Amino acid sequence: MKRYEKFAEDIAELIRSGVLGPGQRVPSVRFASQTYGVSPSTVFQAYYLLERRGLIRAKPRSGYFVNTHAPRPFSEPQVSRQSDGSTVVDVSDLVFSVLDSIKDPNTVPFGSAFPSPMLFPLQRLARSLATASRDMDPRMVVTDMSPGNPQLRRQIALRYMVGGLMLPMEELLITNGALEALNLCLQAVTEPGDLVAIEAPAFYACLQVLERLKLNAVEIPVHPREGIDLDVLAHNLERLPIKAVWCMTSFQNPIGATTPEAKKQALVELLREHQVPLIEDDVYAELYFGQHASKPAKAFDTEGLVMHCGSFAKSLAPGYRVGWVAAGRYAQKVERLKLMTSLCPSMPAQAAIADYLQHGGYDRHLRRLRDALEDQQSAMLAAIARYFPAQTRVSKPAGGYFLWLELPEQMDSLTLFQMALAQGISIAPGPIFSATRRFGNCIRLNYGSPWDESCEKAMETLGKIVRSLC
Amino acid sequence: MKRYEKFAEDIAELIRSGVLGPGQRVPSVRFASQTYGVSPSTVFQAYYLLERRGLIRAKPRSGYFVNTHAPRPFSEPQVSRQSDGSTVVDVSDLVFSVLDSIKDPNTVPFGSAFPSPMLFPLQRLARSLATASRDMDPRMVVTDMSPGNPQLRRQIALRYMVGGLMLPMEELLITNGALEALNLCLQAVTEPGDLVAIEAPAFYACLQVLERLKLNAVEIPVHPREGIDLDVLAHNLERLPIKAVWCMTSFQNPIGATTPEAKKQALVELLREHQVPLIEDDVYAELYFGQHASKPAKAFDTEGLVMHCGSFAKSLAPGYRVGWVAAGRYAQKVERLKLMTSLCPSMPAQAAIADYLQHGGYDRHLRRLRDALEDQQSAMLAAIARYFPAQTRVSKPAGGYFLWLELPEQMDSLTLFQMALAQGISIAPGPIFSATRRFGNCIRLNYGSPWDESCEKAMETLGKIVRSLC
């Protein structure tokens, strides 16, 4: 990171944390230069950057100010009520009908599960693919069946190490994306009919996996900032034979919550007491907006109870389908399930990503990607402020690319979904995120596409439909 | 195919079918040239080819003769007895301990599940990979999630069409190798606890899939040349609630049987009467030694009851993990299961194989591969004749790369497996091919590696161990 980028990031952090409020003056160039020991031109460069990103703006002859155009402080979505007991999961038809209908590449993709492919270094990856496949040892295609490409596993372990988490290479298994990893983990620790604690709202694929494996769900409320409700979870662990807990600890899909590190530690401790495994879906980990990633729950695991799943699908290359799992004490069981299910992941993709991680500039790409996503979040929040009813509640996640909107209570998001689709706009309606089909007045919006006129226009249209339905 | 290759193939067919027996004179060059209307030099070229492949040899001043060095006519392995009723499948530990121990690349790979990677055009594939990834539309990584790369699906459908089987593009789903396809098919038509008819002996991965899905097996004997026993199958369909039949109709792994087309038709008809789906594992289809591929059972399916699975893993690129399924009336269900399990297959591998099929010379490669495998089979059969006890029974499949050996009854193939491994030779012991751990005196040998001194030496060593154990 260049000096001015570092300084800009410091100022941005002050704005994010509220130390510098909307309309407040940011330090003058002279003051900042003296106080922080950087050159005036560095400060200028930093302020240009912040201006471009919409965080501050220049007033002629007065200096720089925190943007008052910044989104008004929305209320947070409410924490869901606790649902009663366990539920047979049966939402696939609904989920598929929604997913099928948003496939059309001409719709505005607010309902998409991925960031725009334009944000990924696909040309650079193609070079890695060419290099890696040229250099691939032919014997590898037979002998390296599982647990995956050793160079790739080494690179992943290295990234964790830099982040303060020591993952032994032997524990790391490469999978066909995180979805396969999550499937294998859940299957390793459950039998059909077992009970699994999941989040409410939950990522719909989690519901589908439960349904596929014929598992029952008990839903635990998720706070839009603080993550899963530990008291409710503890209560349920006491009274129900829960066999596993599945949760997304960072930038939870759909609500955006990141469980604070201390709470992650408490979660791991709680599960240790009950000897219940945690399946940690951490696929958005790299998409944080601040200075540092939050440590995963896995970092606090001393007994191998956390099965930690990651992926390059959201941060680098969706179509390559390369994910991984560090499954702790279940590692061998998961590896064997993988062998029985699909033998091993595709080798060219693994080799290409291993090469890219070594030579392609992943961290530089990630910084650009995070900046882009943060900008796009601001733009979408601003558009919500402009076009949506005042009672709208919105999450403001510190990473990822989803906003969770709670609309006025009478709103039916499935109707909204149909009406928006008729206008060429996809959204993800709330009920696909719940085993009990709740969140009928909520929607998830994807801000993963570079903001342009069509996005702005689509938000205006959406806002009109919402108002017409209230 | 060149003229002399075609003519050589005709003669080879006469030898294979026994019209020309060992020691018999093949037509003189003059006679052949006149009778078949080809030039003498074409006949010479053909005979050189057949000589190189060990099928005939020249006797000075007498002409060409069918090789008497050719393997002596072994007895066929016996058809397994019918086992009683259904079995809970529980062989994974045994299979894994065998598979783990043969991973060492320094062992002679007679126990391997793949042909030698040296037989595949990996450099040419790498070029396709480079081309395809350069030309890949970035949006594809998001929009083309499932059912797979359209170019690839078109190429696969085309190959079937040429072989006389019309598969609608919409029915074709690309998977992470055939193993995933088979898993999805079985899951689409069963619930845990259901009964599935499988072959005896069966491919061990089939047993593992049943075990993973908590299904019970009823074993149907397989004749070493004629395939699955239809009478036994019919009897079991009458009396048991069989939910699916899984079988390999061509070059069955491990026994090598290819079910004749008329019998395939009868099989499909039988299942139609009972309205039971057939899961057809046809991964060796391209590896036939004769002039033409045998049509799959799918070709006789009029009601969409056959779920036909194929793969490039055995004929082109093991590590790419690209397979497919045409699941008939279950196509949508299988596609949805795929979406819930691993979303979609890795895109670079799909694009590369699509490019290779169009521009790489797949048919030329296949002809070379088939010739190599047929030569290697002859070499291994000859080695068995030289080194193994006379009571040894051996299959002589018309394709693929496995021989199934039935050794004297007192032989324990698991002991043989351990002793051979200690000498640096891997084999696949019989019991891993049975839900009821039968075939204790059988082994499967892989002749997929170019025959060399180390193969010959290993066969000699194996023969000694077998004799010492009898």
Side-chain angles (χ1 to χ4, degrees), chain A residues 227-243:
Chain A
I228 197 163
D229 188 319
L230 283 193
D231 293 336
V232 176
L233 179 61
H235 176 68
N236 277 288
L237 283 166
E238 292 291 348
R239 68 190 187 96
L240 293 171
I242 290 171
K243 289 294 164 53

Side-chain angles (χ1 to χ4, degrees), chain A residues 9 22 60 66 147 164 195 199 260 341 354 356 358 367 372 381 388 408 410:
Chain A
E9 191 47 56
V66 176
L195 193 59
E199 297 163 314
T341 312
Y356 175 83
Q358 247 184 317
R367 277 198 299 276
L381 283 169
F388 278 57
Q410 66 272 39

